[in-house]
Amino acid sequence: MTERLSSKPGRRPALGSLARMALYLLIVVVFATPYLWIVGSTFKSRQDLFDDLYPVSVKTFVPSNPTMENLTGLFSDTNFAQAFLNSVTVAAMSVTFAVTINSMIAFVLAWLKFPGRRLLFLVILATLTIAFEAKLIPLFLTMQQLHIDNTLPSIFLPWITDAFIIFLLRQHFAELPQDLYDAAIIDGCSFFRMYWQVMLPNIVPALVSAAFIKFIFSWDSFIWPSIVITDESKTVITVALAKLFSDEYIKWELVFAGSFVATVPVVVIFIFLQRYYVQGFVRSGLK
Amino acid sequence: MTVLFSNSRNAQRYRAAFFLSLPALIGLFLFHYWPIADTVRLSFTDYKVFTGEFTFTGLKNYDLALKDPLLLLSLKNTAVFFLIKVPLQMALGLMLAMLVAKPGRDSTLLRTLVLFPAVTSMVVASIVWGMMFHSDIGIVNSLLESLGLPQQGFLRDKHQALPVLAAITIWKDVGLSMIFYLAGLLAIPGEYYEAARIDGAGRWQLFRNITLPLLNRTHVFVLVTSTIAAFKIFVPVEVLTDGGPSNATRVIVHYIFHLAFRFNRFSYATALSVILAVLLIAISVFQLRITRDEDDD
């Protein structure tokens, strides 16, 4: 791998590695700058924030008089603390329900041979082909008719059954050895205990992948919460942030602080769970 | 195998399986198939918000759609957005994958960094790039000024707004394309390259004749998934431009969303949703078809 994708030894190695260095640098600048700007500006006073913009220098990204007043202002003057808490609650519920419910049906699809099994799997996968935007309107009207619009459960309930997660987990269940199944049967294990005590503990990495991907999906969701929630106290972080950004008189320093709160915890978690995130997508995408 | 079970064991197994599947199936029908069917039904009606009544109007909504210049414009803008975004994202995704395929600390760090946007919410990505490209207080214009170059309107310029939105979403999505390409690259046997190199193939030839064709399945996967995503662009438009300036970023999902939730034209919006869903399926099938033909050659 190393050999075939790196530059050929011999002629012009210096030029090649110099070009590679420049490319690396460009990529780092493009991908890191927005984060550095968010972090730096979060800890700057409004005045410094604007003063440090023209011209762009180190000062643009590193506060010279660090202050916490944007973060404290964000939590005291806006409903951001509530929105953050709501997002955490919704994500936690969404992940818990989705991993439980989808792993149950994924196990059945992988290990029970019944007529119509393939058809059922297809019916589930077919949901991936239709854009969720196409069902928003009836979904919204249904929530109103059931009188559960404007509640936190209405944010995550519609997205619990998740074909992507079912596909991913079915794949992992199906790859477990037949011997494991047979041995448990001989021990007189019931079908439910087979799922819960025998099989589930063997696919923990895949469960972590599913949980983290669902968490990101939930944390990112914006369209649906902005439709189904009108009550300020039920709002989620993405909607609160967009609202901060659309105010007539935009408080830029609060927008930065809000972006910081919405982003940094997730990115830090990602650094630790990166492997699971990548595996989740790779395994479900290409097999 | 079957000798291990008595009939009652089998019945018990099916009962357990039924209860294990039930919650997911309820979700599937209640929150997916039923609303989809309802979207189709609503598209043949006229919905009055205040009375909550539906009157059947046949194909009237579809008839309206055919004569709607804003629908045509939003479809055109969406297509342009797709044409800018998808080829660039695929090329950059492949390039990044080739850069980080080389094992080492640099590659790991670069891969992690490029994936940050994938776990950053689209609202934050839109806002931060919206501020970077802000025509008055943005970093990009500040840099242009330092370099002695003219200031740009970016999101306020009707020719630049759509390409800027494409750039923002490429930044957000290219990390996932990269990891799909990376998985594809790592699956290519190293011997192919060695054999070709012994035959005197240069780097470009290796890339053109081994890497590109052997990634065919990955190309198809990335193409189809990123096309669907491109046609559904919404968040950056909603957060940054609201369809402007002068309708330059009016795209289909944004148009539907606003018909429904700003103007309460639910029925007409559902007809457009049906059109969008059919269009997306048709495009995916078409892309799978032509790429398969290439495969047969």
Side-chain angles (χ1 to χ4, degrees):
Chain A
M1 202 67 225
T2 319
E3 206 198 351
R4 76 181 132 104
L5 289 166
S6 63
S7 54
K8 256 202 304 196
R11 293 168 302 141
R12 300 178 306 166
L15 192 66
S17 61
L18 209 67
R20 180 180 275 268
M21 280 265 287
L23 193 56
Y24 266 66
L25 197 68
L26 179 70
I27 296 167
V28 169
V29 166
V30 169
F31 283 88
T33 305
Y35 296 98
L36 296 177
W37 199 35
I38 292 175
V39 176
S41 306
T42 298
F43 299 100
K44 272 184 199 178
S45 69
R46 183 182 171 88
Q47 194 55 45
D48 282 356
L49 208 158
F50 287 110
D51 288 349
D52 296 345
L53 269 175
Y54 282 81
V56 174
S57 67
V58 178
K59 265 173 67 186
T60 314
F61 303 98
V62 182
S64 28
N65 311 299
T67 168
M68 290 296 287
E69 67 189 27
N70 298 338
L71 281 171
T72 51
L74 182 75
F75 287 120
S76 59
D77 303 347
T78 72
N79 63 340
F80 227 76
Q82 184 66 49
F84 184 80
L85 196 68
N86 290 343
S87 273
V88 171
T89 311
V90 167
M93 299 301 251
S94 174
V95 165
T96 311
F97 281 113
V99 171
T100 312
I101 285 171
N102 293 307
S103 70
M104 292 185 331
I105 194 169
F107 168 69
V108 173
L109 287 166
W111 283 97
L112 186 72
K113 298 207 167 32
F114 59 95
R117 177 166 80 146
R118 283 179 63 89
L119 180 70
L120 178 61
F121 194 41
L122 271 179
V123 166
I124 292 170
L125 290 187
T127 63
L128 292 172
T129 61
I130 293 187
F132 86 87
E133 286 81 357
K135 62 181 183 193
L136 282 184
I137 294 163
L139 210 50
F140 170 67
L141 298 176
T142 310
M143 294 293 165
Q144 278 191 326
Q145 281 151 13
L146 296 173
H147 298 290
I148 57 167
D149 60 318
N150 246 331
T151 63
L152 290 187
S154 70
I155 301 178
F156 64 82
L157 272 180
W159 319 109
I160 285 181
T161 300
D162 187 325
F164 173 83
I165 295 180
I166 295 175
F167 183 79
L168 176 71
L169 298 183
R170 196 206 73 100
Q171 191 98 330
H172 283 266
F173 276 127
E175 282 169 11
L176 294 177
Q178 182 75 38
D179 293 351
L180 190 69
Y181 186 88
D182 293 346
I185 289 288
I186 290 164
D187 288 348
C189 184
S190 75
F191 196 69
F192 180 76
R193 275 190 43 218
M194 177 84 77
Y195 155 75
W196 184 247
Q197 288 184 339
V198 180
M199 299 286 188
L200 207 56
N202 278 297
I203 62 157
V204 169
L207 296 176
V208 177
S209 295
F212 188 56
I213 289 170
K214 195 68 179 173
F215 171 79
I216 296 296
F217 173 87
S218 175
W219 195 259
D220 184 38
S221 65
F222 171 69
I223 305 182
W224 177 244
S226 70
I227 294 171
V228 83
I229 300 294
T230 46
D231 186 344
E232 283 264 307
S233 69
K234 308 276 173 48
T235 199
V236 293
I237 199 162
T238 46
V239 179
L241 193 56
K243 190 168 171 303
L244 218 50
F245 189 65
S246 67
D247 281 347
E248 199 139 329
Y249 172 75
I250 300 178
K251 298 196 180 75
W252 295 101
E253 66 283 10
L254 295 191
V255 172
F256 279 109
S259 302
F260 177 86
V261 172
T263 306
V264 171
V266 185
V267 167
V268 171
I269 299 172
F270 170 74
I271 291 173
F272 293 103
L273 294 183
Q274 184 182 171
R275 194 159 48 93
Y276 297 99
Y277 183 80
V278 171
Q279 280 302 314
F281 278 110
V282 169
R283 288 293 309 276
S284 54
L286 291 168
K287 292 231 168 159
Chain B
M1 271 286 304
T2 40
V3 284
L4 291 171
F5 307 114
S6 64
N7 268 341
S8 72
R9 283 276 317 243
N10 252 336
Q12 180 251 331
R13 231 156 39 110
Y14 278 111
R15 197 171 336 118
F18 174 75
F19 286 112
L20 284 173
S21 315
L22 195 60
L25 292 179
I26 291 173
L28 186 71
F29 287 97
L30 197 59
F31 298 123
H32 191 82
Y33 281 105
W34 191 76
I36 295 276
D38 213 29
T39 298
V40 177
R41 183 179 69 90
L42 282 178
S43 74
F44 297 111
T45 65
D46 188 17
Y47 176 68
K48 296 267 184 299
V49 177
F50 298 108
T51 57
E53 274 170 22
F54 298 94
T55 34
F56 182 77
T57 53
L59 289 171
K60 197 180 131 220
N61 289 322
Y62 292 94
D63 205 39
L64 274 174
L66 287 178
K67 295 169 195 143
D68 182 350
L70 266 183
L71 171 67
L72 203 67
L73 180 68
S74 57
L75 284 173
K76 197 202 97 192
N77 287 339
T78 312
V80 171
F81 176 80
F82 151 76
L83 286 173
I84 300 171
K85 185 189 172 186
V86 171
L88 262 175
Q89 185 179 324
M90 289 179 75
L92 291 172
L94 177 57
M95 189 201 81
L96 286 165
M98 292 177 71
L99 266 184
V100 303
K102 190 181 152 199
R105 236 178 83 225
D106 291 356
S107 299
T108 314
L109 286 176
L110 202 63
R111 196 187 66 179
T112 307
L113 182 63
V114 174
L115 276 171
F116 276 1
V119 297
T120 301
S121 64
M122 191 69 234
V123 171
V124 172
S126 303
I127 287 177
V128 68
W129 278 103
M131 294 193 290
M132 304 244 296
F133 280 119
H134 197 286
S135 42
D136 304 329
I137 63 151
I139 282 187
V140 184
N141 261 344
S142 171
L143 281 173
L144 289 178
E145 193 186 74
S146 304
L147 296 171
L149 295 168
Q151 304 279 292
Q152 301 296 320
F154 296 120
L155 292 165
R156 286 180 187 167
D157 180 312
K158 65 178 176 176
H159 300 294
Q160 295 175 2
L162 208 54
V164 169
L165 292 183
I168 295 172
T169 56
I170 290 173
W171 179 83
K172 168 95 169 84
D173 298 333
V174 76
L176 275 183
S177 302
M178 172 190 76
I179 62 167
F180 289 126
Y181 272 122
L182 185 60
L185 281 178
L186 296 176
I188 300 176
E191 299 90 67
Y192 288 12
Y193 290 95
E194 282 152 33
R197 216 176 267 141
I198 290 167
D199 290 344
R203 279 168 72 186
W204 169 249
Q205 283 173 306
L206 292 182
F207 177 74
R208 178 71 192 77
N209 298 317
I210 297 177
T211 312
L212 267 189
L214 284 178
L215 286 174
N216 203 20
R217 280 183 47 159
T218 315
H219 293 316
V220 175
F221 181 80
V222 176
L223 174 70
V224 172
T225 50
S226 59
T227 300
I228 292 174
F231 270 83
K232 299 196 302 185
I233 165 141
F234 172 78
V235 176
V237 178
E238 171 74 8
V239 173
L240 295 176
T241 64
D242 202 23
S246 50
N247 283 326
T249 60
R250 180 137 340 251
V251 288
I252 181 70
V253 174
H254 187 259
Y255 185 47
I256 295 175
F257 186 89
H258 278 242
L259 282 173
F261 299 105
R262 260 192 214 171
F263 302 108
N264 287 328
R265 294 181 64 192
F266 287 102
S267 295
Y268 184 50
T270 52
L272 300 194
S273 304
V274 172
I275 293 173
L276 172 66
V278 171
L279 192 68
L280 280 181
I281 291 172
I283 291 170
S284 304
V285 170
F286 175 73
Q287 288 180 335
L288 288 170
R289 178 77 47 88
I290 55 162
T291 42
R292 184 158 307 159
D293 285 349
E294 266 174 31
D295 226 3
D296 293 338
D297 285 345

